[in-house]
Amino acid sequence: MVFLFFFGISTSWAQGRYVPGDVVPEPYLKVFGHERFFKISAISEPLKTLMDSCSMRQKDPVSWDDLRYLQVLHRDADGNAIIGELVCNVLISKDLMEIFKALFEAGYPIERMRLIDHYGCDDEASMFDNNTSCFNQRPITAGGRISKHSYGLAIDINPKYNPYYKLKYDKAIVKPEASTDYLDRSADFPYKIAKGDLCYRLFKQHGFQWGGDWLSGKDYQHFEK
């Protein structure tokens, strides 16, 4: 334990006491590596309690068995290593694990990654907080059709800086509503997803579509499979 304190690692970290949202000390990563933070697991009973009647509003179109809980590491724009979490469909769980591991190792910035249930499943609040999320049973933004998020087959990354935009009946719809400044995709700003960047390339390599490529409206935060 003296060895761990020499490297600036507390006893709580040495015993593995960490939760999503925590910043992982760099000395810990140097000693123990980052692989242990990347995990895929079934939906636990406490997690079911958190999600029930929130992100999981009904057991259709997916069941608990169709979903997986992912824990990953991501780096913010300041380079901090942060424990992230999300729930997704089992069909894309390995894809997302490989993608986020590659993004972390490359230092690609993702500011926040917490379950949308911590935002009361309020998509606007989650997006405004620049929170990356996946599973949430809800309709699509500009219509009543069910969203791919309801299946856990879509993910929104750094949504505050990569907004949704659509012109409907001559009225502009922007989500999150406070992100109009980031509709100028020629501008340079933190957490921007650009066509051809690492995030784009990795998701495309794994068979995902990017909302930034859509013709009838743009959803720069959105990848789906």
Side-chain angles (χ1 to χ4, degrees), residues 26-38:
E26 292 301 321
Y28 184 96
L29 293 177
K30 289 180 180 178
V31 173
F32 297 107
H34 61 271
E35 294 286 341
R36 63 178 57 202
F37 289 97
F38 290 85

Side-chain angles (χ1 to χ4, degrees), residues 167-182:
L167 194 62
K168 188 175 183 180
Y169 305 122
D170 296 325
K171 181 181 179 181
I173 300 173
V174 181
K175 296 291 183 179
E177 295 176 358
S179 292
T180 53
D181 289 346
Y182 306 112

Side-chain angles (χ1 to χ4, degrees), residues 2 4 15 19 45 63 66 79 91 108 150 157 160 171 220:
V2 174
L4 295 176
Q15 295 168 3
V19 295
E45 291 302 321
S63 68
D66 296 318
L91 297 174
Y108 189 95
S150 297
I157 296 179
K160 182 177 182 179
K171 181 181 179 181
Y220 296 108

Side-chain angles (χ1 to χ4, degrees), residues 20-221:
D22 278 351
V23 174
V24 182
E26 292 301 321
Y28 184 96
L29 293 177
K30 289 180 180 178
V31 173
F32 297 107
H34 61 271
E35 294 286 341
R36 63 178 57 202
F37 289 97
F38 290 85
K39 305 173 184 177
I40 301 176
S41 58
I43 307 301
S44 67
E45 291 302 321
L47 189 52
K48 289 179 183 178
T49 300
L50 174 67
M51 295 171 59
D52 194 31
S53 300
C54 196
S55 62
M56 178 65 98
R57 293 173 176 82
Q58 56 189 30
K59 305 305 183 290
D60 180 43
V62 293
S63 68
W64 296 118
D65 290 338
D66 296 318
L67 302 175
R68 291 294 182 271
Y69 175 78
L70 272 60
Q71 179 184 282
V72 303
L73 278 181
H74 61 94
R75 291 197 182 275
D76 63 13
D78 295 322
N80 296 307
I82 304 169
I83 299 172
E85 61 175 353
L86 58 84
V87 169
C88 69
N89 195 297
V90 63
L91 297 174
I92 65 168
S93 58
K94 291 182 179 179
D95 288 315
L96 292 185
M97 186 60 67
E98 291 177 12
I99 289 169
F100 284 117
K101 188 174 292 185
L103 291 174
F104 174 77
E105 291 171 350
Y108 189 95
I110 296 174
E111 185 170 19
R112 192 168 287 105
M113 194 185 304
R114 300 299 310 278
L115 300 184
I116 200 166
D117 304 86
H118 296 301
Y119 295 85
C121 298
D122 184 331
D123 196 45
E124 182 73 18
S126 176
M127 289 190 294
F128 183 75
D129 202 32
N130 203 31
N131 181 56
T132 293
S133 67
C134 183
F135 177 73
N136 186 24
Q137 290 185 333
R138 62 173 178 81
I140 62 174
T141 301
R145 183 163 47 87
I146 192 169
S147 166
K148 284 284 183 70
H149 289 282
S150 297
Y151 299 87
L153 294 172
I155 185 166
D156 292 338
I157 296 179
N158 291 330
K160 182 177 182 179
Y161 298 94
N162 300 282
Y164 169 93
Y165 170 80
K166 187 179 180 73
L167 194 62
K168 188 175 183 180
Y169 305 122
D170 296 325
K171 181 181 179 181
I173 300 173
V174 181
K175 296 291 183 179
E177 295 176 358
S179 292
T180 53
D181 289 346
Y182 306 112
L183 290 174
D184 180 4
R185 306 311 288 180
S186 66
D188 187 25
F189 45 82
Y191 302 112
K192 173 185 171 183
I193 299 173
K195 186 170 185 175
D197 76 2
L198 181 61
C199 184
Y200 174 90
R201 295 197 310 273
L202 286 171
F203 274 97
K204 293 294 283 187
Q205 287 167 12
H206 283 264
F208 286 78
Q209 297 178 2
W210 181 45
D213 286 330
W214 295 350
L215 298 179
S216 60
K218 299 292 184 182
D219 200 352
Y220 296 108
Q221 64 195 258

